[in-house]
Amino acid sequence: MTARAADRARYDRATAALDAPLALVDLDAFDANADDLVRRAQGKPVRVASKSVRCRALLERVLARDGFQGIMSFTLAESLWLARSGFDDVLLAYPSADRAGYAELASDPKAAAAVTVMVDDVAQLDLIDAARQGGREVVRVCLELDTSLQLLGGRVRVGARRSPLRSPAQLAELARAVARRSGFRLVGIMAYEGHVAGVGDALAGRPVRSRAIRLMQAVARRELAERRGAAVRAVRAVAPELEFVNGGGTGSVQYTAAEDAVTEIAAGSGLYVPRLFDNYTSFRGRPAALFALPVVRRPGVGVVTVLGGGYPASGAAGRDRLPEPYLPEGLRYDPQEGAGEVQTPLLGSPADDLLIGDKVWFRHAKAGELCERFDVLHLLERDTVTATVPTYRGEGHTFL
């Protein structure tokens, strides 16, 4: 029996009394992945990206482990909810236009002490001031540095279009603007290198493209390390009490941790290890988050149909954004139908061994987006489901 077949048998036994569709997190794999992130962070604390987890119970579990410190959130409403829930170090990774949220932040001492907001433009500071509604709490601010690799005088760009702040001088200029304004305190810098951390460099069957990605990432790491170091020095000259410099992502933890300028690492997807993280040479994780769909039809030889399944991930549309039929091994989508909203046909010889009511296990392409489809996660320890915990959705929150 292969390791994957053994996992399937374990998952089926543990959930035999549970009807699918359902979502499961294998805690043995989750904890092993957490240990691997800490190892690769080389002594620097790992800040957990909540959008990749979207479950308070699992955020609490990982933050209770040595080597983890703080949350990186994705909306202001989520940040405030987490602060009200007792999390005391929440970095909002994206700028917000949530005026009601800023009014609450500026009027709540506990939230203002716990939450740090992201800015990359003076106009965002203006929006926050206009939204205060009399709130006088000091708002903690983090600046974001653009990490994209730009070649041929900027004619070629590799990386996400995020912050407009690219040079150390631009970052320092905004730091001075924050320092001049009452009601704000500059406490951090963030620089997320998604083109390194979030792009696999070992694509199956594509050796030439894989080599090109590895070359690009090596160049990008060197360029960013130099520019990030200079940017941090420029900002510290304005704000010597800077508390943190955040960088990284699951795919680049060890490289970012090696930079002296970086004080903490961001990671989250590496806890669940969705299918997009199968294509890396720098680490190997264990799939921890899966979902099961029930077989409801057997249309013919070599075909079964499962209920639901149309759970594509965000990003540029493509087959790599679809969930992966994972267990039993050997199933594939019908190219004429793909993953359907209400039903999904699956092809392959393993279909002939599946009965009505059997479970087919899938891996989502990305991490936390799976939790937008399920109210609860069943937590597996060895061979037993030991707890069932709500996702954000299960607690009544769909922040985006």
Side-chain angles (χ1 to χ4, degrees):
M1 181 181 290
T2 67
R4 279 175 60 173
D7 280 340
R8 180 196 174 199
R10 187 162 59 95
Y11 300 152
D12 284 347
R13 284 195 305 270
T15 63
L18 301 173
D19 287 335
L22 63 84
L24 175 145
V25 173
D26 183 340
L27 291 180
D28 296 329
F30 182 91
D31 290 344
N33 293 333
D35 288 342
D36 184 65
L37 288 172
V38 170
R39 176 188 61 80
R40 291 196 287 135
Q42 304 169 45
K44 293 184 178 178
V46 178
R47 184 180 290 274
V48 184
S50 63
K51 77 179 183 67
S52 299
V53 179
R54 302 192 204 199
C55 171
R56 277 201 302 166
L58 290 177
L59 288 172
E60 290 168 353
R61 181 184 184 91
V62 72
L63 285 171
R65 302 177 71 86
D66 290 341
F68 289 87
Q69 180 179 306
I71 291 176
M72 176 177 282
S73 59
F74 59 97
T75 74
L76 182 53
E78 179 212 13
S79 305
L80 294 168
W81 176 64
L82 291 171
R84 290 193 297 270
S85 301
F87 296 95
D88 60 4
D89 181 3
V90 183
L91 169 62
L92 175 57
Y94 307 88
S96 176
D98 181 354
R99 291 175 173 82
Y102 283 130
E104 180 180 344
L105 180 68
S107 61
D108 184 338
K110 178 181 176 182
V115 175
T116 301
V117 303
M118 190 66 59
V119 300
D120 56 34
D121 193 308
V122 171
Q124 294 155 355
L125 301 175
D126 294 338
L127 187 149
I128 295 170
D129 271 337
R132 286 178 181 271
Q133 297 182 5
R136 297 182 178 276
E137 296 299 322
V138 172
V139 174
R140 293 166 54 86
V141 167
C142 178
L143 307 183
E144 181 170 3
L145 175 70
D146 170 48
T147 66
S148 65
L149 175 64
Q150 297 189 14
L151 304 171
L152 301 177
R155 293 190 295 276
V156 175
R157 175 194 179 99
V158 182
R161 296 183 181 276
R162 293 176 60 112
S163 171
L165 306 175
R166 179 166 182 79
S167 70
Q170 289 173 315
L171 212 65
E173 182 180 358
L174 186 54
R176 286 189 288 271
V178 174
R180 287 194 296 266
R181 296 178 78 131
S182 63
F184 295 92
R185 182 165 76 253
L186 177 57
V187 298
I189 298 172
M190 187 186 85
Y192 170 59
E193 56 269 32
H195 50 302
V196 179
V199 177
D201 63 352
L203 307 180
R206 305 182 72 180
V208 175
R209 180 168 176 79
S210 297
R211 285 194 293 272
I213 290 173
R214 288 195 289 273
L215 176 61
M216 175 276 292
Q217 291 179 338
V219 172
R221 287 196 301 267
R222 289 193 296 271
E223 186 276 336
L224 178 59
E226 181 177 343
R227 184 159 52 87
R228 180 157 41 199
V232 170
R233 290 190 295 273
V235 172
R236 285 196 184 278
V238 178
E241 300 303 316
L242 206 66
E243 296 175 14
F244 64 86
V245 177
N246 180 281
T250 289
S252 65
V253 170
Q254 63 269 41
Y255 303 116
T256 309
E259 295 183 32
D260 291 338
V262 174
T263 67
E264 63 175 38
I265 307 299
S269 296
L271 296 168
Y272 286 169
V273 186
R275 64 170 294 198
L276 285 179
F277 285 87
D278 287 348
N279 303 318
Y280 284 77
T281 57
S282 61
F283 78 102
R284 287 286 184 272
R286 291 174 53 185
L290 304 98
F291 66 93
L293 301 178
V295 174
V296 292
R297 285 178 169 162
R298 291 171 50 89
V301 175
V303 186
V304 292
T305 301
V306 295
L307 183 69
Y311 307 159
S314 62
R319 286 184 298 175
D320 64 340
R321 300 291 145 168
L322 295 179
E324 174 193 19
Y326 184 59
L327 300 170
E329 297 180 67
L331 293 174
R332 65 186 186 279
Y333 291 116
D334 182 332
Q336 297 185 58
E337 297 195 47
E341 178 188 10
V342 177
Q343 67 169 33
T344 298
L346 298 170
L347 313 179
S349 59
D352 294 329
D353 296 323
L354 291 169
L355 304 176
I356 300 296
D358 283 352
K359 295 180 177 77
V360 175
W361 295 90
F362 292 76
R363 293 171 66 201
H364 204 271
K366 298 184 79 172
E369 293 179 20
L370 165 66
C371 294
E372 298 301 328
R373 298 286 182 169
F374 293 92
D375 291 340
V376 299
L377 299 173
H378 300 286
L379 305 185
L380 177 70
E381 295 187 74
R382 296 186 180 176
D383 295 326
T384 305
V385 172
T386 57
T388 299
V389 297
T391 61
Y392 279 12
R393 170 178 163 166
E395 295 201 66
H397 296 289
T398 50
F399 292 109
L400 277 178

